[in-house]
Amino acid sequence: MACVVTSMKHFLESFCLLGAFLHVCTQHTVPASEFQLEGDYLIGGLFHIHDDTGSVYHERPELDAFTKSNYVKYEAFKFQMIRFSVEQVNNSTNLLPNVSLGYDIFDHCSDTQNFPGVLKLISANGSIQPWSDKQSVLSKVIAVVGPFTSTQSLTVAPLLMVNLVPMVNYATSTSVFSNKAKYPSFLRTLPSNLNMIDVIVRILQKFNWRWVAFLNSDDDYGNDGLNLFTQRIKDTEICLPYSKGLSDSTNYTQTFKQMEAKQINVIIVFALENNVEPLIESAMLLNVTNKVWIAGDAWALNKKLPKMKGIKNIGTVLGVAEPVVTIPGFSDFLHSSKAQLHCKYAEQDTFCNQKCNCSCMNPEDIFAADPSYSFAIYSAIYAIAHALHNTLRCGADKCDSNITVYPYIVLAELRKSNFTLVNNSIQFDDNGNLKQGSYSVVFWNNSGDAQEIGFYQFNSEVHFFVDDSKIEWHTNGEVPTSLCSPECPAGYIKKRNGIYECCFDCEICANGTYVNITGNESPYTCLKCKDIEWSEEGSTSCNLRAVEYISATDIVATLVFVAACAFVGMTLAMSVLFSVNYNTPVVRSAGGPMCFLILGCLSLSNLSVFFHFGKPTVPLCTLRYLPFLLFYTICLACFVVRSFQIVCIFKIAAKIPKLHSWWVKYNGQWLVIVVAFVIQAIFLVIGYSCKPPSPYNETSWYPDKIILSCDISLQASTASVILLLSICTLCFIFSYMGKNLPKNYNEAKAITFCLLLLILTWIIFATECMLYRGKYIQLLSALAVLSSLYSFLFWYFLPKCFIILFQPHKNTQQYFQGLIQNYTKTISQ
């Protein structure tokens, strides 16, 4: 703050010559006029009544009479509002008792001719001493209201910031003044551009307008609006493909052609009236139609444009405006004031910037002007009055006249303002902006009036509402669209096409993915469904998959269990039959005691079938193949030994007698079986320990289903399967070698056939696994196990049971001796 004050004081030294001129200028005797009102304390007023050339606005020949008249009414409205507000304060019994408030108003007509008036406001006795730490004589001006535009405010503000003279503005909404390091004594009684841009963006979002143009006046006000709008839409789906600063030299034909080339249907115009009127008139002249125009508060309540012939051809006009607040007593004030007073001294040699050659207007003309900023002026005067009231420690009847009023003290009280005016709370935040305020959303109806259709209110939170049923769209009741690309159908993602997010191609999401249109996920990515979910092509959400497995109570499982139990029963019956006929040739040729081992291992292998059904668990998956692999290995080892023994007796014993003697001496058959069992057990323990079988959800084959199965590692089972295949191969080789042996001793043929059935069964199952992964794969696996077991039971043991029961004459020693003798004769021949 000290740096700012010091720099401003050095800045003011350059105005010493102007100060001297000011001293001369103030020596004239000035009669009373509407620009001045004496009082104990003065409020400075800066209003824009003339144009840059110094001539009165309504005298400019290039403007039509309607425009001139409306501008004069508009400025007269604001001019009279400050006079009325001060008079009302002076007539108040509760505010500033026995203290009179005056004003000194200057026409802030240009950046080059305003300094005399501004310097007079901050001078004391016609002189300015910026190098003095404390002026011996204080100016009676305790605060300044105005000026109108942002550029004018930026020009004046540094002069007022030096001594912290409160600058209470009613029209400058540029956000730069929220910077208290640069503008410590600036406050305003209207919302900032930040709020207005927020309203505009909310309107765009409500009607889903994402492809817009932004036309702004090429000055501080318009450029600030453009910058704020650009920042505000960064995190939205709104794109700004075109923006243009408007000035007196703007080529409107080219501007509209460029917007039309980009197919923009919504145009935001954030500009002052002197830029807007030529723009709209050019739009009508160039036959620009079917657009939506969004007006800023500077022209939303314009009185001329809504009544122009052909205004409806340009499309629909929406606007953001200061709420029209009826000021109590203002109408009576206008009627009671004498119009002659306003012109009586028109030709007097008054102070610089306090001349007015304007035509006299009746109260109805003034009251019918654009009411924008009327309440902002009214509340600015009352905010200063309340601050002065608190500075002077006023009571019910009087104020403390011994208090010296410095501008910075008034500023401190202004910052603490908290009062209600015409049902509106007036408070300032730390940046000098209103803590709470509102905007009206208006629509230019067919009657040529700005009809209120909604509101925007901000305090601790924002309330926004637009009744779009009141809008008469130019598209026959349908809300107009303004999009670079039409919205993608549900289930499609956006693929950006160009530099703008609003321009995109649509791509459908594949099966198993979706695009989330309700959450915070990107609309540019297809999200993958979870493993327990599924989706069809072009989905916006995922569905839970149906979980499938064959339960133990399922009918097919029951049938398999019956078959497995029947198998156990048959092996038990055969074991009893073989034990009863143990010493008969048929039982001894089938393997003797080894038959009971084979039948027992087949029954134990059958246990695997019972673990194929039900919801998979780790124990269930472990036992699904473990019994089968372990005990079926013993069965095959027994058949290998049995095949080898038959071949050995009839073919190898005579050729290699030592091998036969060694086999008999050391019980080679049992040694082979034990070794095969031990090796298989070791392989299974190691494999199942390294990677035990576990439940597995099959999700790749069916998009809408989860098949519960077991994940049996191929690596963990490889050694066991290879051993089993090796034993099976040996068994097949020895069986094939004994194909020409005597009939009743030719077990090799039966074993070979059983092995062929075994191989065929598992080839069929492997093929099914490659083609089908549904829940019935468990059933097929159980049937493959049963088929492997039943093949030996039916084709190896059942024929022997048939001979024992139904052909006992073949189950004799003599019958077998005859077969051997016949085989011997055949070999010898």
Side-chain angles (χ1 to χ4, degrees), residues 811-829:
N811 191 17
T812 62
Q813 192 71 26
Q814 294 81 1
Y815 182 77
F816 272 76
Q817 287 294 334
L819 292 175
I820 294 173
Q821 291 173 1
N822 292 333
Y823 175 76
T824 304
K825 292 179 181 179
T826 303
I827 293 299
S828 62
Q829 291 177 355

Side-chain angles (χ1 to χ4, degrees), residues 174-456:
T174 306
S175 61
V176 67
F177 290 105
S178 297
N179 185 348
K180 293 300 103 178
K182 288 185 177 181
Y183 305 101
S185 62
F186 184 94
L187 302 96
R188 53 183 151 212
T189 53
L190 82 165
S192 72
N193 280 350
L194 192 64
N195 299 111
M196 183 160 39
I197 291 299
D198 188 46
V199 187
I200 293 173
V201 171
R202 287 173 184 265
I203 292 174
L204 298 177
Q205 291 174 329
K206 175 177 176 58
F207 297 110
N208 197 32
W209 294 326
R210 303 178 186 176
W211 192 244
V212 301
F214 195 98
L215 306 182
N216 59 283
S217 51
D218 193 12
D219 55 17
D220 297 286
Y221 166 76
N223 293 331
D224 180 66
L226 176 60
N227 292 333
L228 292 175
F229 182 78
T230 304
Q231 295 171 12
R232 177 65 175 80
I233 64 174
K234 279 184 178 179
D235 298 326
T236 68
E237 296 181 338
I238 300 170
C239 297
L240 181 63
Y242 186 81
S243 61
K244 177 74 174 178
L246 304 178
S247 64
D248 294 338
S249 60
T250 299
N251 186 335
Y252 294 110
T253 302
Q254 183 182 14
T255 299
F256 287 120
K257 281 184 178 180
Q258 291 171 343
M259 287 191 288
E260 194 63 34
K262 293 179 179 289
Q263 297 181 331
I264 299 172
N265 294 328
V266 174
I267 304 171
I268 302 165
V269 184
F270 198 87
L272 301 177
E273 284 187 325
N274 61 324
N275 297 123
V276 171
E277 291 183 359
L279 172 72
I280 301 299
E281 290 170 358
S282 297
M284 290 187 289
L285 183 64
L286 296 171
N287 196 29
V288 177
T289 59
N290 300 326
K291 305 294 182 185
V292 175
W293 304 77
I294 300 180
D297 64 344
W299 67 283
L301 300 181
N302 186 283
K303 294 295 184 179
K304 169 192 173 184
L305 294 175
K307 300 183 183 302
M308 290 184 65
K309 184 179 180 181
I311 188 65
K312 282 300 168 184
N313 294 334
I314 68 171
T316 304
V317 180
L318 305 177
V320 180
E322 290 282 327
V324 178
V325 179
T326 302
I327 309 298
F330 183 53
S331 177
D332 296 336
F333 170 80
L334 291 178
H335 285 88
S336 62
S337 297
K338 299 298 183 182
Q340 290 79 5
L341 181 62
H342 188 65
C343 306
K344 180 177 179 181
Y345 301 102
E347 302 302 326
Q348 297 284 350
D349 185 15
T350 57
F351 186 80
C352 315
N353 302 73
Q354 288 184 321
K355 294 188 293 184
C356 181
N357 287 331
C358 55
S359 302
C360 300
M361 289 175 290
N362 58 51
E364 286 74 16
D365 289 335
I366 297 176
F367 205 71
D370 183 350
S372 297
Y373 311 113
S374 59
F375 183 73
I377 298 171
Y378 187 61
S379 55
I381 298 300
Y382 266 86
I384 296 170
H386 277 277
L388 181 60
H389 183 93
N390 295 330
T391 301
L392 295 174
R393 300 175 185 174
C394 298
D397 300 323
K398 63 178 181 178
C399 300
D400 189 349
S401 59
N402 295 322
I403 295 177
T404 302
V405 178
Y406 292 97
Y408 69 88
I409 300 178
V410 178
L411 174 64
E413 293 297 333
L414 269 169
R415 289 172 175 168
K416 295 185 289 184
S417 295
N418 187 2
F419 62 94
T420 301
L421 189 64
V422 196
N423 297 323
N424 287 273
S425 176
I426 307 298
Q427 296 181 66
F428 299 102
D429 61 18
D430 295 337
N431 296 321
N433 299 318
L434 288 174
K435 279 188 176 181
Q436 61 185 56
S438 62
Y439 279 110
S440 293
V441 180
V442 299
F443 158 67
W444 286 8
N445 59 27
N446 291 329
S447 302
D449 298 321
Q451 177 185 352
E452 184 173 351
I453 58 169
F455 61 83
Y456 171 92

Side-chain angles (χ1 to χ4, degrees), residues 781-803:
S781 177
L783 291 176
V785 172
L786 281 176
S787 176
S788 302
L789 300 176
Y790 269 106
S791 63
F792 281 104
L793 192 67
F794 283 161
W795 302 109
Y796 184 81
F797 289 104
L798 191 60
K800 294 173 174 44
C801 294
F802 183 80
I803 292 174

